[in-house]
């Protein structure tokens, strides 16, 4: 099957432990089965410089990172990702699948940190310049379930939480609520998946959404 336009841009969102990693894999395999070339990326990250900015954002520092500095760092990484990874891939006709994109900034920096929507929108306009995903999958999980999964994974891998993962439950509740509000506001683009279910059921939901939402991109 051929894409009828140059590329397709899909982002995957959700709080910690929502299951983004396995959803990325399911989406990739679904598109590959249709003969589509895939570029995967993640935010913050996706290019060498953006990955270096990621390290800076997520590591524990002696010096406090001000929330506006943090916001600018997310957008600096995103600018690199857009210009050096996402746009070239879309222009060559690939499907780009991003583990987080702009909705994460509204959810975490507006919902979590309390920065105004207007401030974030100014940077959105500057950096994205009207680029937006064709489809955003929001894996919605309760904060308790998400945190329990992360705790299990950390115990298994003997990992410490990163700088953002160590935030309190309230922070993640606000992040989740902001994601849900955006899903309501942009209901033509953002589709909610109930990620509290088993991996098998989540995958079924994903495949149904992909078939429904992406059929228009494939030639008969
Ligand atoms: N951030 C921000 O603040 N602003 C921004 O603009 C952007 C990001 C872009 C890095 O993100 C951090 O940056 C993140 C948001 C912030 N902050 N935090 N904290 P990241 O995406 O790189 O990191 P993450 O959100 O911490 O990823 P994660 O914890 O790995 O979440 P996940 O990918 O959804 O987790 P997972 O590996 O898919 O699943 C976690 C575990 O649960 C794993 O053991 C799975 O096997 C298990 N799992 C998953 N789904 C299920 C189901 N359905 N049933 C049972 N078990 C499951």
């Amino acid at each position: 099957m051929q894409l009828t336009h140059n590329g397709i841009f899909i982002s995957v969102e959700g709080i910690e432990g929502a299951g983004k990693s396995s959803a990325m894999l399911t989406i990739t395999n679904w598109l590959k089965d249709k003969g589509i070339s895939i570029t995967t990326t993640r935010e913050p990250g996706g290019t060498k410089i953006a990955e270096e900015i990621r390290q800076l954002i997520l590591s524990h520092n002696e010096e406090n990172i001000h929330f506006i500095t943090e916001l600018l760092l997310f957008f600096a990484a995103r600018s690199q990702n857009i210009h050096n990874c996402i746009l070239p891939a879309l222009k060559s006709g690939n499907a780009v699948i991003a583990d987080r994109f702009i909705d994460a900034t509204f959810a975490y920096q507006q919902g979590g940190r309390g920065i105004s929507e207007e401030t974030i929108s100014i940077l959105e306009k500057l950096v994205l310049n009207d680029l937006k995903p064709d489809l955003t999958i929001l894996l919605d999980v309760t904060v308790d379930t998400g945190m329990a999964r992360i705790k299990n994974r950390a115990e298994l891998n003997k990992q410490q939480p990163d700088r953002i993962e160590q935030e309190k439950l309230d922070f993640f509740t606000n992040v989740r609520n902001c994601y849900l509000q955006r899903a309501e506001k942009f209901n033509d683009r953002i589709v909610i998946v109930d990620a509290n279910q088993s991996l098998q059921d989540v995958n079924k939901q994903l495949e149904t959404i992909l078939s429904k939402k992406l059929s228009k991109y494939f030639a008969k």
Side-chain angles (χ1 to χ4, degrees):
M1 261 188 234
Q2 292 290 313
L3 284 174
T4 53
H5 82 323
N6 253 357
I8 175 163
F9 184 19
I10 301 172
S11 60
V12 181
E13 299 276 2
I15 62 167
E16 286 55 42
K20 289 181 284 95
S21 311
S22 53
M24 291 282 298
L25 210 63
T26 303
I27 297 167
T28 301
N29 290 337
W30 192 92
L31 285 163
K32 271 190 184 159
D33 275 357
K34 305 241 168 320
I36 308 297
S37 302
I38 311 289
T39 297
T40 56
T41 186
R42 66 171 180 180
E43 293 216 337
T47 76
K48 192 167 180 298
I49 290 174
E51 289 290 330
E52 285 176 18
I53 299 172
R54 177 189 178 89
Q55 288 303 319
L56 194 59
I57 295 173
L58 296 183
S59 58
H60 297 273
N61 301 288
E62 271 178 34
E63 181 182 344
N64 180 48
I65 299 188
H66 189 269
F67 58 90
I68 294 295
T69 312
E70 184 187 71
L71 175 70
L72 293 170
L73 286 171
F74 278 118
F75 272 108
R78 180 161 301 136
S79 180
Q80 289 302 111
N81 195 22
I82 288 173
H83 294 289
N84 296 343
C85 174
I86 296 174
L87 285 180
L90 287 174
K91 280 178 188 158
S92 72
N94 280 15
V96 174
I97 313 170
D99 186 338
R100 298 193 186 280
F101 193 61
I102 185 66
D103 298 295
T105 307
F106 284 97
Y108 283 79
Q109 278 61 57
Q110 182 194 343
R113 300 279 191 236
I115 301 175
S116 75
E117 188 176 7
E118 293 70 29
T119 300
I120 300 175
S121 298
I122 293 168
L123 292 169
E124 179 186 26
K125 181 74 196 151
L126 175 74
V127 174
L128 275 68
N129 194 21
D130 293 336
L131 173 71
K132 62 176 190 305
D134 300 296
L135 172 65
T136 296
I137 304 280
L138 173 57
L139 297 158
D140 180 52
V141 72
T142 64
V143 174
D144 285 348
T145 302
M147 293 300 129
R149 287 179 189 164
I150 291 304
K151 194 163 168 261
N152 282 343
R153 188 183 61 185
E155 279 168 9
L156 277 175
N157 301 341
K158 299 195 174 20
Q159 273 175 340
Q160 292 300 316
D162 66 37
R163 196 179 59 82
I164 299 179
E165 278 170 354
Q166 66 179 9
E167 288 293 340
K168 307 268 178 305
L169 281 188
D170 271 5
F171 175 90
F172 293 109
T173 304
N174 292 336
V175 171
R176 181 184 179 212
N177 289 340
C178 192
Y179 265 135
L180 290 171
Q181 282 159 17
R182 284 183 71 77
E184 209 176 315
K185 188 168 171 187
F186 302 107
N187 59 13
D188 53 330
R189 171 175 66 84
I190 306 180
V191 181
I192 300 176
V193 165
D194 179 0
N196 297 293
Q197 317 239 328
S198 69
L199 274 174
Q200 205 184 13
D201 285 346
V202 169
N203 283 339
K204 269 193 216 148
Q205 293 179 65
L206 283 170
E207 283 166 8
T208 305
I209 291 165
L210 293 171
S211 301
K212 196 170 151 196
K213 290 282 182 180
L214 300 189
S215 58
K216 66 179 175 207
Y217 292 99
F218 303 116
K220 296 249 158 50

